[in-house]
Structure formats: C-alpha cells, structure tokens
Amino acid sequence: MKDFQNFYPQKNSTFWQNKRVLITGHTGFKGSWLSLWLLNLGAKIIGYSLQPEELSLFPLLNIESDIENHYDDIRNLENLQKIVLDYKPDIIFHLAAQPLVRKSYKEPINTWSTNVLGTINLLSAANLLENKCATIFITTDKVYKNKEWEYGYREEDPLGGFDPYSGSKAASEIAISSWRSSFCGSSKHQKENIFIASARAGNVIGGGDWSKDRIVPDIVNSLSENKPISIRNPNSTRPWQHVLEPISGYLCLAKALYDYPNMGVFDSSFNFGPNLESNRKVLDLAKCSLNFWEGQIKIEKKSDIHEAGLLNLNIDKAHHKLGWSPTWQFEKTIEKTIVWYKKVINEKCDPYKACFSDLSDFNQDVLANNL
C-alpha cells in the first residue's frame, strides 16, 4: 500500500508548481482561500466566477493580478467551454454555486439552475479536453437525506435535500456520478483522460466570510457593533471546521486523482469534516467566540424556515484512502476565526497577512500532527 499521506500539499509543494488549475467560484469565500494557497504553491490559476461582492475576501487579498481572471456566469456554456479549451487545465476545482440555504428559499430557480446546470456545464466543457485533467466538484454535507440521527453520514448513504439549496446540491451529485459512469472510461463514447471526484464538506468557517445569514458573519457584525449576538437555533448541531481543513482535503484528493487516476478509488465522493468533538451546538460556537471578543448573546425566536437540527459526517474514507485527517480542534478553529476578524477590523491588519499567517500556522500544525 502506498504512503497516501504524501498527497498533503505540505509535503508535495513541487507537484503544484506550474500546474494549470481552473477554479470556478474563485472569488467566493472558499475560492479565495484556495486561490491564496495554490498561488503560494506555485500553481498557475485560471479563475472563472461572478464579480466579487463589494465586501468580500477576494478583493481584500489583492491577488487579482496574479490570476487569469474571467468574470462570467457558470451557466454561460459557450464562454465556459472557450475558457476550458483555451487554458487546458491539468486540474479543475468547481466551487461556483449559490451556497446559502436561506437565500435558496428566496431564489429557488437561480439556486437550482446555478448549482445543477452550472455543474453539468462544467462537466460538458471538461469533456472537450484532450489532455489529462482531474476535476474536483465541491458540494456540501447537506447532500445527504438528513434523518436527524447522531451517526455520521457516509459517502454511500442516500442523498436528499429538504430545502432548495440542499436539494440542488444533491441533484448535482447525482449528475456528477451519472456523467462519470456515462462518459469516463474506455468505450467509444467515453474519455480516458478526464477523471472526476466530488468533495462534501459543510459548516466551514474562517476569516473573510461576510455572507448574509451565516452564523460567524452575524456574530462578528454584532461584536464589532457592540450588539448582542442573536441566535435563532441555539441547539442546532453542526460539524464546525476551519476553511483550511476541507481545502487541504481538496488538494489531497486532486493530487491523488491526478497521480492514480485508474485505481478506481479516488474517482468517487469523499467527506471532509472535523473530529467528533467539533460537532457542537450553535450556542457553543457563540459562547466560544466570546472567549476571544467580548460580547453578549441573545436567543431569538426560532425561524420558520427549515434548517437541520443535527448533522455530522463520517470521514473514515478520507482518512483511510487519502491519509487525510482534521488538524485543528473546535476551540482552535473558533480562535483562529474570531481573532482574524478582530485583527482586520479593530487593528486594521492587512487581510492577506492575516490569511497567510493562518495558512502558515495550519501547515506547521499539519506537519507536526499528521505527517
């Protein structure tokens, strides 16, 4: 058995040198962190995304000039195909999506078309390539049919989705699996150079997320304005993880799929989640945040919009097949997140320096703890 821990970017920075990497949704929260990391690994990034929000991490990092940026809608198939064929990426990370549950109730058609049709468009565009290409489709932990049980969901568990966001992401997973079965392989109608995997992670937090209706931005906005933190669903339990955790998993999976495309192991779905101790209530998250930024908590009336009460992932597959495991425990994750905002907002720290500091600390901890 090979040493699959070699897939970690901390031990394989040379692998990423000059790799052509297409990132859809590169101006989003996770896309910005992924872009920062890959730039520091020496990759050549092609970004395909909507224009970044005025208050978002991407423009604050000031890395736009280091990336081949293309601002367009993932539903524009013709333009997407042109970008893919022009740059011939070695690796693709698909993050472009409408990622918010509450927004999906307000904009269900936009959510479904972006998350499902956008995924199919990228699958179709990648299928035109003649070069070897590993494609990683980022979905969410919410693709599972949530039975509100205490057990972690495994990759083979049934898919589902109560709300439009969850349902659209589950549908995109079905599309990915169907496309892989139909068009990847050695038959006449299939391609032998395109390799497809999906990565499921959720409740990702960290510095630089200002999305509406997400708990950490709500906490930070309240703390920075000296207002009580309003909590809608204090007892809802989630697998909280720092944004660098799943991204490290995406990088491991991409290298594994690229290096060993025909093993029949990595061209599948993988969960990336925290250790069990990080499956905590929303109220625990808010209370822990107050350890690093003084404030108060106010419990609000529960929302009438459906949100899962209990959700966690089983990450055995990622551990055994990729050698991947989470690095930061719950309190360290909250500390890194809240202190990032406090430094940037109160101390006027350069967001790039704040992100790079967290990335450096994370890399050091991975090398110390996992390798």
Side-chain angles (χ1 to χ4, degrees):
M1 196 70 171
K2 295 182 182 298
D3 178 12
F4 289 139
Q5 289 191 353
N6 283 333
F7 295 140
Y8 271 99
Q10 290 87 340
K11 286 186 70 175
N12 288 278
S13 59
T14 56
F15 169 82
W16 294 98
Q17 284 284 338
N18 296 315
K19 281 287 190 302
R20 298 184 304 278
V21 181
L22 170 62
I23 305 175
T24 72
H26 71 295
T27 62
F29 171 54
K30 279 201 286 187
S32 297
W33 277 95
L34 177 59
S35 297
L36 172 69
W37 196 338
L38 283 170
L39 284 174
N40 280 276
L41 289 171
K44 296 183 180 298
I45 300 178
I46 306 99
Y48 190 99
S49 179
L50 297 176
Q51 289 276 355
E53 299 280 342
E54 184 175 350
L55 181 58
S56 62
L57 181 59
F58 186 77
L60 294 176
L61 291 177
N62 197 28
I63 57 176
E64 186 176 28
S65 61
D66 300 319
I67 296 172
E68 290 285 344
N69 293 280
H70 297 273
Y71 296 122
D72 207 334
D73 196 308
I74 194 70
R75 292 169 291 186
N76 190 330
L77 176 60
E78 183 178 353
N79 287 357
L80 181 61
Q81 288 177 333
K82 184 177 186 305
I83 296 301
V84 170
L85 286 174
D86 283 350
Y87 289 97
K88 299 177 177 56
D90 302 301
I91 293 170
I92 298 174
F93 292 100
H94 178 52
L95 290 88
Q98 193 298 96
L100 302 174
V101 172
R102 293 176 70 83
K103 186 176 181 180
S104 76
Y105 281 96
K106 299 175 183 177
E107 301 179 8
I109 295 175
N110 174 57
T111 299
W112 277 88
S113 61
T114 299
N115 295 350
V116 180
L117 183 59
T119 294
I120 295 171
N121 280 351
L122 185 58
L123 287 163
S124 176
N127 208 51
L128 300 175
L129 291 169
E130 297 300 328
N131 59 286
K132 178 181 177 181
C133 182
T135 60
I136 310 298
F137 287 79
I138 313 304
T139 60
T140 174
D141 58 357
K142 296 175 181 64
V143 299
Y144 294 105
K145 187 175 182 179
N146 194 346
K147 299 179 181 179
E148 300 282 344
W149 60 24
E150 62 184 21
Y151 308 106
Y153 291 95
R154 297 176 182 272
E155 287 82 354
E156 64 270 18
D157 283 335
L159 303 179
F162 185 97
D163 58 86
Y165 168 71
S166 303
S168 68
K169 291 302 242 180
S172 71
E173 281 276 4
I174 294 172
I176 292 163
S177 178
S178 172
W179 192 282
R180 180 171 51 229
S181 299
S182 300
F183 301 112
C184 297
S186 56
S187 298
K188 288 184 178 179
H189 63 284
Q190 294 179 323
K191 300 294 287 286
E192 296 186 76
N193 58 303
I194 306 299
F195 308 98
I196 299 170
S198 66
R200 302 166 182 173
N203 297 98
V204 173
I205 62 177
D209 185 6
W210 277 281
S211 301
K212 293 181 179 179
D213 295 321
R214 278 188 178 161
I215 183 62
V216 167
D218 288 348
I219 287 174
V220 170
N221 288 336
S222 297
L223 293 174
S224 64
E225 296 172 7
N226 294 316
K227 296 179 179 178
I229 300 169
S230 296
I231 304 295
R232 292 189 305 268
N233 300 298
N235 295 316
S236 293
T237 301
R238 296 289 186 272
W240 308 105
Q241 58 184 326
H242 194 276
V243 63
L244 291 172
E245 303 277 17
I247 289 177
S248 71
Y250 305 159
L251 294 172
C252 286
L253 179 56
K255 185 180 188 303
L257 186 60
Y258 190 88
D259 283 349
Y260 304 101
N262 298 314
M263 286 185 62
V265 174
F266 306 115
D267 54 345
S268 59
S269 58
F270 282 80
N271 289 337
F272 296 103
N275 289 316
L276 286 176
E277 70 91 26
S278 291
N279 292 320
R280 299 290 191 91
K281 295 179 180 180
V282 171
L283 184 59
D284 294 334
L285 171 66
K287 287 181 176 179
C288 188
S289 298
L290 298 185
N291 292 334
F292 310 104
W293 196 333
E294 186 177 350
Q296 296 179 323
I297 296 172
K298 177 182 178 183
I299 307 299
E300 298 283 359
K301 181 180 178 181
K302 187 174 181 179
S303 169
D304 58 353
I305 289 179
H306 175 270
E307 293 187 70
L310 181 63
L311 179 63
N312 62 81
L313 297 178
N314 182 295
I315 56 174
D316 288 351
K317 182 178 178 181
H319 178 69
H320 292 298
K321 302 300 183 183
L322 295 169
W324 179 90
S325 60
T327 300
W328 285 344
Q329 300 298 320
F330 178 74
E331 185 159 340
K332 182 69 170 286
T333 294
I334 307 308
E335 177 185 3
K336 285 293 185 182
T337 299
I338 299 302
V339 169
W340 188 99
Y341 286 102
K342 195 172 183 180
K343 288 194 297 186
V344 170
I345 294 173
N346 288 354
E347 301 171 20
K348 308 304 179 185
C349 176
D350 178 9
Y352 181 94
K353 291 182 178 179
C355 286
F356 189 78
S357 175
D358 285 351
L359 176 58
S360 297
D361 289 347
F362 182 79
N363 283 333
Q364 290 176 7
D365 288 343
V366 167
L367 290 171
N369 299 336
N370 295 76
L371 303 181

